[in-house]
């Protein structure tokens, strides 16, 4: 499986932080991570030096780690410093957010106290639609709009809870609090739910256990400075 060799073909899709390419093998794509960073539905734009390389390596490492816990992901192998070979998935246009500590839009929307450790982790669904500002949705929206069926939603929730448990302890051993994160799922060629997209400081919030410092894209969103250093530090701890 890991010996597969693929050749990069034409660009299929360019997102804000990644580009997906077709390959000469119909089962695989190549996903390339960009240094570009956006926030506020793309209204705020910038670059984070070396982010593409760092996020590619961090994501690959976390996907492999999750696979060892029997969470299926689209990761196959690294292709280059800033790209990986991935299995083709039929993506579900829903962003799944899991929260352990209150911050970000949860605080804005519900008025919970910033930094409050949540008694029970909160799983939320958002429709992946920048033009509509990724609105918060529930399971009925997903069913009614036919984005996924009941069994698939159950599976997505089970995987998300498991990923939270596995990654929370992975990061705490590295002196980082996994505050919240966003996942995207799709169906593999057998129709099974698999984890896609990326897991990186672009899509997670990490707070240093000792200093409480933010070590993720909030540094860019909130103009806190030292953005590149934070991504590098996450990378070094992930590979420790
Ligand atoms: P939020 O508090 O802004 O809703 O973000 C929750 C989590 O989801 C946080 O870890 C950042 C991540 N996220 C993305 O990956 N993409 C997005 O477009 C947004 C808004 C959040
Ligand atoms: N990625 C989203 C955007 O570009 C939002 C975010 O991550 O804050 O708007």
């Amino acid at each position: 499986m890991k010996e597969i060799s693929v050749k990069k073909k034409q660009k299929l899709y360019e997102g804000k932080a990644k580009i997906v390419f077709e390959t000469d093998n119909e089962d695989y794509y190549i996903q390339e991570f960009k240094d570009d960073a956006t926030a506020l539905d793309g209204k705020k734009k910038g670059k984070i030096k070396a982010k593409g390389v760092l996020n590619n390596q961090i994501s690959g490492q976390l996907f492999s780690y999750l696979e060892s816990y029997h969470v299926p992901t689209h990761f196959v192998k690294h292709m280059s410093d800033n790209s990986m070979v991935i299995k083709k998935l039929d993506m579900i246009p829903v962003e799944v957010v899991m929260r352990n500590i209150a911050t970000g839009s949860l605080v804005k929307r519900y008025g919970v106290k910033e930094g409050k450790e949540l008694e029970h982790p909160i799983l939320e669904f958002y429709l992946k639609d920048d033009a509509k500002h990724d609105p918060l949705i529930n399971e009925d929206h997903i069913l009614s709009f036919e984005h996924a069926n009941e069994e698939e939603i159950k599976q997505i929730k089970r995987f998300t809870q498991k990923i939270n448990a596995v990654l929370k302890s992975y990061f705490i051993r590295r002196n980082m609090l996994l505050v919240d994160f966003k996942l995207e799922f799709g169906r593999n060629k057998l129709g099974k739910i698999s984890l896609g997209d990326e897991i990186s400081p672009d899509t997670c919030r990490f707070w240093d256990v000792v200093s409480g410092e933010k070590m993720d894209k909030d540094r860019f969103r909130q103009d806190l400075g030292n953005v590149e250093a934070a991504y590098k530090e996450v990378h070094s701890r992930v590979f420790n």
Side-chain angles (χ1 to χ4, degrees), residues 112-219:
V112 200
K113 194 168 178 295
E114 169 76 26
K116 181 186 171 3
E117 198 175 318
L118 298 165
E119 282 308 318
H120 183 88
I122 297 176
L123 192 156
E124 297 174 331
F125 296 112
Y126 293 86
L127 187 66
K128 195 173 162 66
D129 185 345
D130 269 349
K132 297 256 181 292
H133 312 292
D134 294 348
L136 182 69
I137 55 173
N138 65 30
E139 294 178 33
D140 284 345
H141 293 94
I142 299 175
L143 284 171
S144 286
F145 302 159
E146 299 182 281
H147 292 317
N149 65 34
E150 236 162 308
E151 191 44 51
E152 290 173 329
I153 297 173
K154 252 193 222 159
Q155 186 64 271
I156 287 171
K157 289 172 72 175
R158 277 197 290 262
F159 281 146
T160 302
Q161 284 154 357
K162 183 168 181 180
I163 292 166
N164 189 36
V166 169
L167 292 188
K168 235 167 59 174
S169 70
Y170 180 92
F171 282 108
I172 207 76
R173 293 196 298 278
R174 289 160 176 80
N175 271 320
M176 294 155 79
L177 292 173
L178 178 61
V179 174
D180 54 29
F181 57 92
K182 185 266 297 180
L183 304 173
E184 296 181 28
F185 292 90
R187 301 172 192 91
N188 68 14
K189 65 175 178 181
L190 302 171
K192 296 284 179 219
I193 294 294
S194 261
L195 180 63
D197 197 53
E198 68 182 290
I199 312 178
S200 74
D202 271 13
T203 61
C204 302
R205 287 194 177 101
F206 304 113
W207 292 353
D208 182 80
V209 166
V210 179
S211 66
E213 284 240 359
K214 297 181 199 293
M215 305 174 66
D216 56 66
K217 198 172 144 191
D218 271 353
R219 302 202 72 84

Side-chain angles (χ1 to χ4, degrees), residues 11 20 23 29 35-36 71 85 87 93 97 111 121 141 153 159-160 169 179 188 192-193 202 208 218 223 226 230 232:
K11 190 197 284 190
V20 177
T23 71
Y29 288 147
D35 288 354
D36 299 347
V71 175
V85 180
K87 288 175 211 155
V97 169
H141 293 94
I153 297 173
F159 281 146
T160 302
S169 70
V179 174
N188 68 14
K192 296 284 179 219
I193 294 294
D202 271 13
D208 182 80
D218 271 353
D223 297 313
N226 296 322
K232 262 197 205 145

Side-chain angles (χ1 to χ4, degrees), residues 215-234:
M215 305 174 66
D216 56 66
K217 198 172 144 191
D218 271 353
R219 302 202 72 84
F220 168 80
R221 294 188 188 100
Q222 301 169 11
D223 297 313
L224 299 176
N226 296 322
V227 188
E228 288 148 25
Y231 278 67
K232 262 197 205 145
E233 180 62 23
V234 173

